Each structure stands twice: as structure tokens, then as C-alpha cells.
Amino acid sequence: MCGIVGYIGKNRTAAPVLLEGLSKLEYRGYDSAGIAVRDNDGEPVVVRAKGRLKDLAEKTNDGNAIKGTCGIGHTRWATHGEPNEINAHPHVSGDDKNVVGVHNGIIENFAELKDKLVKKDYVFYSQTDTEVAIKLVDYYYKKYKMGPIDALAKAMVRIRGSYALAVMFKDYPNEIYVARKDSPMIIGKADDGDGVLIASDVPAVLNYTRNVYYIDNLEMARLTADGATFFNLDGDEVQKESVEIKWDAEAAEKAGYEHFMIKEIHEQPKACEDTMNAFIKEKKGKYSIDLSELGLSDEEIKEISQIYIVACGSAWHVGMASQYVIEDLARIPVRVELASEFRYRNPILDKNGLVIVISQSGETADSLEALRLAKNQGIKTLGIVNVVGSSIAREADHVFYTLAGPEIAVATTKAYSTQLIAMDLISVQFGFVRGTIDKAKYEELIAALKTIPEKIEKIIEDKERIQWFAAKQANAKDIFFIGRGIDYAVSLEGSLKLKEISYIHSEAYAAGELKHGTISLIEDGILVIGVLTQNDLFEKTKSNMVETKSRGAYLMALTTYGHYEIEDTADFVTYIPKTDEHFAASLAVIPLQLMGYYVSVAKGLDVDKPRNLAKSVTVE
């Protein structure tokens, strides 16, 4: 949510750099934008606009109307105060513009701090918590006549909540100061030597550098055109090592596709293959899974008595599918938890348990807090993330990096698919180590996994049939997905994909629950999508589909090649290649991703940036 950029250099004009960086963060979700640019010791020029980034670009002639090599920018997703120009960032401390800043996150005690500042004669013009933070920094800076780092530290001690702050001080031209708690922020020096960049996510800096520093919690930094100096909350300097980002700038571009989402759907075979190849090793013609990078020994795996999978959104759906696979292959009890519930219910955790936290960004606020809760109870934690150096990656005891590359569309596709692969690799290896599957079955499962990318490619090649069918559903009001077991988990993800980008009401149900009330919602013409990839459950789900058809439902079936008898029941059928049923979710989800995409396109909607949603949810 929200996006921060900053740039300070010697020769490069800041405003165009800021606008370019903000354009790379549009996927995060926003409703207003703004920049502040300073030309040496001149007064900062602040420009804000409601709406899309193009409105800000028009007001500044693509940034060319503002001189200066030092600036900060922001795209705001409204939390405190409605989306308008007044509430847009950057915010200023007063008419003197002594402190100008931008902020990601939520300040929980902003009302208390605001009351304090009002008593100190501060006047507020916006409804935002950010203005409170900027004025608080200004208050400590002036009252104690301290430097920027000390003023920031003083404010950080008083602020409760999450934040990434980037501020400029009137008395310190050609310098930017930043601070962080729980909201992501990276810093990178331009490869050509001209300047330093700040961003809340990697794509904003890829055109300038692939080497970045991650600021840890409760740390600050002072930035000049020559580099960055880092400080802890005590004001002591700390040393940091840069991290190389493997993604290139082209990976965050559309590359000729109409939308990022369809590009990322097409990138899934490679993303899955890359993730598998990082952990599947070949020796003398035999393949095995090597999880040594995770740091979990075979002895530790054998001692695990309970697994808790904790996640949000699509990552939670990965957990829902994986519980069936882990329990069947490794015979370990699995509980799948929504992070937003897990963190608040004081859970009773098995001391020999393993908490697996799944998050694409590695910064998901609820998931990060769930991780910390588990660690506080002394429970072993494993993070599955896509971003090197992210908070969950740094704080988890063990880390599994997926290799999806940058995912720009808000609706996840390739990150979800690589998370499924990660969990499948863990399931198979845990089963083998614990002796619940033998060597022959182990090798058979790995062989099946290695065919997944090719089979995904085959499904995508047949996308025109889904496109044709999806176009017919553009005017639908309600759509239901049903399935059992892994198919139910796939239905959850398919339903989410559809509703989040097409705005059609959609729900997923365990097919056996239809008789317990849901079937009362079935009316003439309502589309019911049945997922049937599990042979033992095929007839059961087919019967549930017949029940809805007898009440007027229009049926779509998603099943594997060979189950052609379903055509006697369903009005439209899409087929996927056969695979080991444990891994069917990786294939079955692809037609449902395409379905959601093409329905949204048919409705003329903004596929990559659906309303009210953000890519990385870093606040509650």
C-alpha cells in the first residue's frame, strides 16, 4: 500500500526520476500522488494531485517544470482522511516548510500526538496521520535544537504503529533523511554514480541500480548524493551490506502484453521451473530435493509434530491446498490460519511445531506479526517469500525463496504458483525424510513435479477457449465455485481471482456444504464452476453439480483429460493435463486465472489495478 520514492543527485533532475519511480509502484494501489523537490538551498516545491499519476505528471510537465536534484515522492492509498489533494503527500510542518515528508503505514496514536501539538500552537490543514508525524519531527527539532537524526529518533519513540518516513529539512539542503518501522524501504546508489535512490519496493529503482540496502526496524539513514549513512535508534552509526537484486528492469515491464497480469500468467512456467531447479538436484541421472539452503536438518524435520501455515489472501489459499499434500505425504498434522486471526487469538502452539509464513512481498503486516508471535513463543519458523532481504525473510528462522521475479499486477498469479511449488517440494522432502514415502515414490513425485511447467504452458496455449467463454460471463451478477479437497482450495483462489478484478460477486464452497444452505442461492442462469481433479472425489462433486443444474444453474467443469463423461453434465468444460493428484492445484488454477482475467477485460476494467486493492498490504 502506498509508494515512496526519493532521489538525491548532482546532475540529474529529481522530479522526472520521482515520477518514473512512482509509475513503477502504481500496482501498490493509490488514490492521490505528490512530489516535493528542492533546488539546493531553495524552498521545496510541493505539488500534489488527486487521482492517477498522469494528473500529477500533467501538473508538472512530466517533472520538467520543477528544478532541483533532491526530492521525495509518494502515491497515497487513503487511510486517515478521504482521497483528495489536501490529504495527499508530501506534507509540510508549517508555512516555513521546515520539514517536508512522506509516509507509508499507519500511526495508531496520531490523535493523541495531534492534541499535544495543537497545544503547542501547531495548526493542521489535513485529516492525515502523516501530517502529525511531520509536525512532531519539526517540534522536537526546534524544541531541543537537535539534528535531523536525533529529532527523528525522538519522534520514533513517541509514534506507535507502522511507518516508513522520508523527510527533508530546511536547514540541511541536498540531504534526505529516512526512518523505518514495519513498512518496507530500500536504498540504492545509482550504478552510474550520480545519486542515491529511495523506494518502498524494488521496481522503482531497477532502471538505476540492482544493489540495494534494506533498512531494519527502528533504523534511520542520512542520504546525500554520494551515499547513505545508517543509524540505530540511539543515533549510533551502523554498517550494512548491500543486496544484489537479480531481477532486471525489463522484468518489471509489460514487454508487449496488454496487461501485467496476462504477462505474468505467461511467465508461470519459467517461474515454477526456476523455483524447482533451485532445489531439485541431479546426480548420476537421479533427482533429489535439496532443502539445505533452508537450514532445516533431517533430524529437525523428523521431530516436527505439527505444522501451522499462516498467510493472507492467495497465500492462504496456497496453505489450504498444501495441507492436503503435507498430511497425505508426510503424515504431519497441519492447521491453516489466516494471519489476521492467528495474531490476535493467543494460539496454543506445539513446542515441536513449525510455523510456515507465506508472503509474496515478505512485508505483509499481519503475516509478519504472526511470525513474531510464533518466535516469541519459541516456535520454529519458516518464511516462504519472493523478496530477498524482506522483513519476513530477515526475521524467520528459516527462509525458502521463490523465484517468481517481480510481480506487478495486484492479482497474484506467478507468485501463487511458485508458492505452491515451494510447498510441494517441502511436502515431498518431509515425507521422504520421515519415511512416510519410499525411494521409488519419492522419485516418482519429483518426476511429476518436473513436468508441471510444460503442462502449464500447454494450458496457456489453449487460452482462446477460456477467453471465448469468459466474454459470455461479463454481465454475470453471481458466480459460484465448488470442489472438494484440493479442488476446494483451487476454487477459493479461482473465486478470488474473479471477484477482485471483475467486481462480480463470487464465492467458493466445499461442494459437500451445498445442502447446508448455499444451494438456496442457486437461481436460473447462475454460473456454477465445478473443479474435479481428484479421482476419488470426482463422482461426489459431479453429483453436487447435478443438484445445482436441476435448480437452474449453468455449469462449467474443470477436470483432467479423460473425464469426458462430464460433458453430459456440464454446459462448458475445460481440460487440464493429467498429473499426480497431489500437484493438480498447479494446473487447475491456470484456467481460473485466465477466466478472471478475460472477464475483467471483457468488462473494460483496469485489470492490473483493481479498485480499493493494493499489492502489498503493509498495514492492518
Side-chain angles (χ1 to χ4, degrees):
M1 290 184 177
C2 302
I4 285 178
V5 297
Y7 172 75
I8 180 168
K10 295 178 180 177
N11 303 308
R12 199 180 272 126
T13 303
V17 177
L18 299 177
L19 290 172
E20 179 188 3
L22 290 175
S23 73
K24 306 298 184 185
L25 301 179
E26 285 192 285
Y27 65 90
R28 295 176 68 89
Y30 70 102
D31 42 52
S32 62
I35 58 174
V37 177
R38 193 171 183 188
D39 188 10
N40 293 314
D41 58 358
E43 183 176 285
V45 175
V46 178
V47 184
R48 298 177 291 210
K50 178 186 175 182
R52 290 302 184 189
L53 200 57
K54 63 181 178 60
D55 300 311
L56 181 63
E58 289 173 2
K59 292 181 76 169
T60 61
N61 188 26
D62 293 326
N64 297 310
I66 306 176
K67 294 182 179 179
T69 59
C70 177
I72 52 179
H74 190 267
T75 48
R76 175 179 185 255
W77 194 82
T79 52
H80 296 83
E82 64 184 75
N84 58 33
E85 190 171 310
I86 292 175
N87 289 326
H89 301 207
H91 285 286
V92 299
S93 57
D95 293 339
D96 60 356
K97 295 183 182 177
N98 185 57
V99 180
V100 180
V102 295
H103 159 242
N104 283 356
I106 289 182
I107 297 172
E108 296 170 357
N109 61 333
F110 83 99
E112 169 193 326
L113 296 173
K114 186 174 182 178
D115 288 343
K116 169 188 173 72
L117 292 168
V118 168
K119 292 174 183 175
K120 301 298 181 180
D121 298 324
Y122 279 86
V123 177
F124 289 82
Y125 58 84
S126 78
Q127 301 167 293
T128 68
D129 54 344
T130 302
E131 187 188 358
V132 174
I134 301 306
K135 283 179 162 60
L136 186 68
V137 173
D138 179 71
Y139 168 72
Y140 287 127
Y141 177 79
K142 290 176 176 175
K143 178 179 179 179
Y144 296 102
K145 297 180 173 55
M146 50 177 50
I149 290 294
D150 290 330
L152 274 173
K154 193 87 170 172
M156 290 167 71
V157 171
R158 289 297 309 275
I159 292 172
R160 294 197 308 271
S162 60
Y163 51 81
L165 284 165
V167 297
M168 298 187 296
F169 288 79
K170 182 178 181 179
D171 298 334
Y172 292 82
N174 298 315
E175 294 182 9
I176 298 175
Y177 292 82
V178 298
R180 175 187 183 267
K181 178 180 179 291
D182 293 339
S183 288
M185 178 176 284
I186 58 172
I187 294 171
K189 186 169 183 179
D191 290 339
D192 64 4
D194 187 5
V196 173
L197 300 110
I198 313 162
S200 47
D201 205 354
V202 169
V205 303
L206 281 177
N207 283 341
Y208 298 95
T209 183
R210 295 187 198 173
N211 292 287
V212 302
Y213 297 93
Y214 288 89
I215 306 177
D216 286 322
N217 259 351
L218 299 177
E219 287 187 345
M220 301 165 285
R222 170 181 174 267
L223 313 179
T224 68
D226 296 316
T229 308
F230 300 93
F231 304 88
N232 62 24
L233 195 56
D234 294 326
D236 298 327
E237 188 172 333
V238 295
Q239 300 299 314
K240 285 193 175 295
E241 296 292 330
S242 64
V243 175
E244 183 183 1
I245 303 300
K246 302 296 185 181
W247 310 340
D248 58 31
E250 291 182 2
E253 301 294 339
K254 289 182 182 175
Y257 288 92
E258 186 177 358
H259 301 101
F260 279 110
M261 185 177 176
I262 191 64
K263 172 178 179 276
E264 289 158 8
I265 288 173
H266 279 265
E267 289 174 341
Q268 286 177 113
K270 184 178 187 303
C272 290
E273 186 171 32
D274 288 347
T275 299
M276 273 192 286
N277 286 346
F279 296 94
I280 296 179
K281 307 301 180 183
E282 187 267 338
K283 186 176 182 180
K284 296 182 179 179
K286 298 287 188 179
Y287 291 98
S288 63
I289 298 170
D290 181 1
L291 298 182
S292 58
E293 286 186 20
L294 276 58
L296 274 172
S297 68
D298 287 355
E299 289 70 27
E300 288 177 298
I301 292 172
K302 291 175 183 176
E303 291 174 359
I304 294 171
S305 56
Q306 172 81 47
I307 290 176
Y308 309 89
I309 302 176
V310 184
C312 303
S314 292
W316 181 71
H317 298 159
V318 169
M320 290 292 288
S322 299
Q323 67 177 326
Y324 298 102
V325 184
I326 294 174
E327 290 192 339
D328 193 47
L329 296 181
R331 307 308 294 162
I332 305 173
V334 178
R335 180 163 179 161
V336 185
E337 303 266 9
L338 288 164
S340 56
E341 291 293 315
F342 179 86
R343 62 178 289 197
Y344 287 119
R345 69 173 182 80
N346 193 21
I348 301 170
L349 304 179
D350 190 320
K351 64 182 177 62
N352 293 318
L354 173 67
V355 174
I356 300 178
V357 179
I358 308 175
S359 167
Q360 189 279 140
S361 67
E363 303 289 352
T364 309
D366 285 319
S367 299
L368 180 57
E369 289 304 318
L371 172 76
R372 290 168 178 166
L373 184 153
K375 286 178 67 68
N376 288 338
Q377 290 198 23
I379 310 302
K380 195 180 276 83
T381 57
L382 167 65
I384 297 180
V385 300
N386 191 46
V387 180
V388 175
S390 56
S391 294
I392 290 174
R394 292 199 305 272
E395 296 188 28
D397 299 313
H398 310 278
V399 185
F400 189 123
Y401 284 114
T402 57
L403 300 178
E407 188 177 66
I408 307 302
V410 167
T412 182
T413 52
K414 62 177 180 173
Y416 170 90
S417 290
T418 54
Q419 289 165 356
L420 273 179
I421 293 296
M423 290 302 299
D424 287 340
L425 291 168
I426 288 170
S427 302
V428 173
Q429 187 65 13
F430 277 27
F432 182 60
V433 169
R434 294 167 66 91
T436 53
I437 57 174
D438 60 21
K439 183 72 170 176
K441 183 64 173 178
Y442 178 65
E443 292 177 353
E444 177 187 319
L445 290 169
I446 293 174
L449 276 171
K450 287 182 66 63
T451 67
I452 293 294
E454 180 182 353
K455 289 174 179 177
I456 292 176
E457 189 75 57
K458 180 176 175 61
I459 297 169
I460 295 173
E461 287 173 359
D462 195 31
K463 62 182 181 292
E464 283 75 17
R465 286 193 74 247
I466 293 290
Q467 182 177 10
W468 170 82
F469 182 74
K472 297 176 64 175
Q473 308 305 319
N475 294 321
K477 301 298 182 185
D478 301 279
I479 296 177
F480 292 93
F481 291 72
I482 61 172
R484 293 171 181 259
I486 289 174
D487 291 337
Y488 169 52
V490 173
S491 295
L492 288 167
E493 178 62 11
S495 176
L496 177 60
K497 281 293 146 294
L498 181 72
K499 60 189 162 193
E500 69 183 338
I501 60 174
S502 74
Y503 317 145
I504 294 173
H505 169 252
S506 170
E507 296 188 46
Y509 283 95
E513 288 297 295
L514 283 173
K515 292 187 180 72
H516 298 280
T518 312
I519 203 163
S520 67
L521 299 175
I522 302 300
E523 299 175 350
D524 283 346
I526 282 184
L527 176 62
V528 174
I529 300 175
V531 183
L532 312 94
T533 70
Q534 309 294 299
N535 284 328
D536 289 347
L537 300 171
F538 182 89
E539 292 298 333
K540 294 283 188 183
T541 303
K542 179 182 174 184
S543 294
N544 296 132
M545 295 175 68
V546 170
E547 289 174 337
T548 64
K549 187 170 187 176
S550 68
R551 289 159 175 81
Y554 186 80
L555 298 184
M556 169 182 166
L558 193 168
T559 189
T560 54
Y561 285 106
H563 279 300
Y564 303 119
E565 69 271 27
I566 196 65
E567 294 183 9
D568 295 331
T569 300
D571 300 288
F572 176 81
V573 183
T574 186
Y575 296 98
I576 60 172
K578 289 183 177 180
T579 187
D580 186 287
E581 291 182 10
H582 294 94
F583 312 137
S586 290
L587 303 182
V589 75
I590 306 300
L592 301 185
Q593 292 172 348
L594 291 165
M595 176 79 173
Y597 171 77
Y598 283 121
V599 170
S600 182
V601 169
K603 295 182 70 172
L605 301 173
D606 191 342
V607 175
D608 290 333
K609 297 186 283 292
R611 67 190 183 200
N612 303 331
L613 295 179
K615 180 67 176 173
S616 180
V617 183
T618 57
V619 298
E620 288 191 68

